[in-house]
Amino acid sequence: MKIKSIYVCTHCGSTSPKWAGKCNACGEWNTIIEEVATPVTTEDKKRQLWQSSSGSERNSPKPVLLPDIQAGNTLRLVTPDEELNRVLGGGIVSGSLVLIGGQPGIGKSTLLLQVALGIQAKVLYVSGEESEEQIKMRADRIHQQRSDCYILTETNTSKILTHALALQPGLLIIDSIQTLSSPLIESTPGSISQVRECAGELQRFAKETNIPVFIIGHITKEGTLAGPKLLEHIVDAVLQFEGDQHYSYRILRTLKNRFGSTDELGIYEMQQNGLREVSNPSELLLSQKDEELSGSAIGATMEGMRPMLIETQALVSRAVYGTPQRSATGFDLRRLSMLLAVLEKRCGFQFGQNDVFLNIAGGLRVDDPAIDLAIVSALISSLEDVIVPGHICFAGEVGLSGEIRAVTRIEQRIQEADRLGFREIYVSKYNIKGLDTGRYAIRVQSIGRVEELYQALFAV
Ligand code: TYD
Ligand code: MG
């Protein structure tokens, strides 16, 4: 058979017969790679990968009147992991295909092995990455031993699905999609065409057997799921497991969910004996320290639907060599530059000759604009070397003209700060209309501009 090359876009998965610098379908540059494709004959295509119980008479769907469809009775398999249940919208929907992405070493295998060992159902855990012994060792480490969890080390989709069909598990876990290969195509495991074919086969399997399937997917260097667009529309839900390798916190985020909200997120802590659910994030994220130092301020942020109080730390010091440095960990560097420019222009602070370092505690990444006010306070605090008292926290977005703008879910933020024993919270004056601030023990201070913040906090 003649071996033919096809050119596949690693971003959107579209194929073309010749190479190009820019993908015609999605417009991305330098994403097209060459793959060897052996055309699959129609004979091959017809070949059944696995025999479903009803054979050729699979119940193919018939047209149904919309009012006749029973809604609201989706069966969900509830896992012992509350965080995962919430992220999925209340448990694993039967027949659903869920992709969990994350960088190598972040804890994807650990998370799913924990689910496999804890859930009240028969589970088939397929690993193409590790040996049975390695998985056993991990299971020993997380101290959960159940007899209803089967391990299969196999990468051939046809064999995997045949085993799964015979075993009829309540949940099928695939670790990872990049190691699978389908006998129907000849390209190497992990290539775009393989990933697409294997995901497609798993999707058909899930839909026809009603067995939910979890697939683990590695993230590429650029921080995207391999062929993200490609897998995103095949699967029902995309979860991303993220965190900084050097810290123990892990966040499970929903990027897509056909059965629930994408605003939910789960928080875990990686410990010696597996992942532990963190139901009270703020208490852990506020760094414990005895003495108060300048350059630190606490922001009342929202991660998804959950309020979280997070410490921001700034260090402003005279630049000794050449161009002053600006560096941010866990926060957008351009946004930091913007905040510095606002402080220079609106309040007359001189950051120009200083190095500025900004850090979000716990190795988290914060995109919530409400953290602006805490960052601005930390910056001024470090520059002027004055302390922001530890009983104060902040929630407000800073606009280009130095105005403090309203943020979403202000009540939840105030409540969380109140619950954690903060005595004062600074919010935008545009945020407190209709707000019953008397309900809380915490004092709610409203401000309109950055200058007022300085006056209120530091002026004597
Ligand atoms: P792993 O689940 O193998 O990551 P992934 O599948 O995403 O590549 O987790 C690997 C890391 O987690 C590894 O560095 C060891 C650490 N770990 C713990 O700290 N505690 C534990 O109980 C386990 C099982 C792993
Ligand atoms: Mg793994």
Side-chain angles (χ1 to χ4, degrees), residues 41-74:
T41 60
T42 39
E43 210 59 35
D44 274 345
K45 267 195 176 150
K46 278 186 196 152
R47 182 157 45 121
Q48 281 290 344
L49 256 186
W50 41 279
Q51 291 291 326
S52 105
S53 45
S54 47
S56 56
E57 287 162 23
R58 263 183 232 159
N59 30 359
S60 58
K62 297 179 187 66
V64 187
L65 269 176
L66 190 58
D68 293 345
I69 300 175
Q70 301 280 323
N73 54 358
T74 20

Side-chain angles (χ1 to χ4, degrees), residues 103-110 130 138 141-142 270-274:
Q103 288 181 336
I106 208 75
K108 302 176 297 296
S109 305
T110 308
E130 289 155 314
R138 177 175 293 135
R141 198 169 164 183
I142 56 190
M270 180 62 97
Q271 296 185 332
Q272 275 313 306
N273 52 357

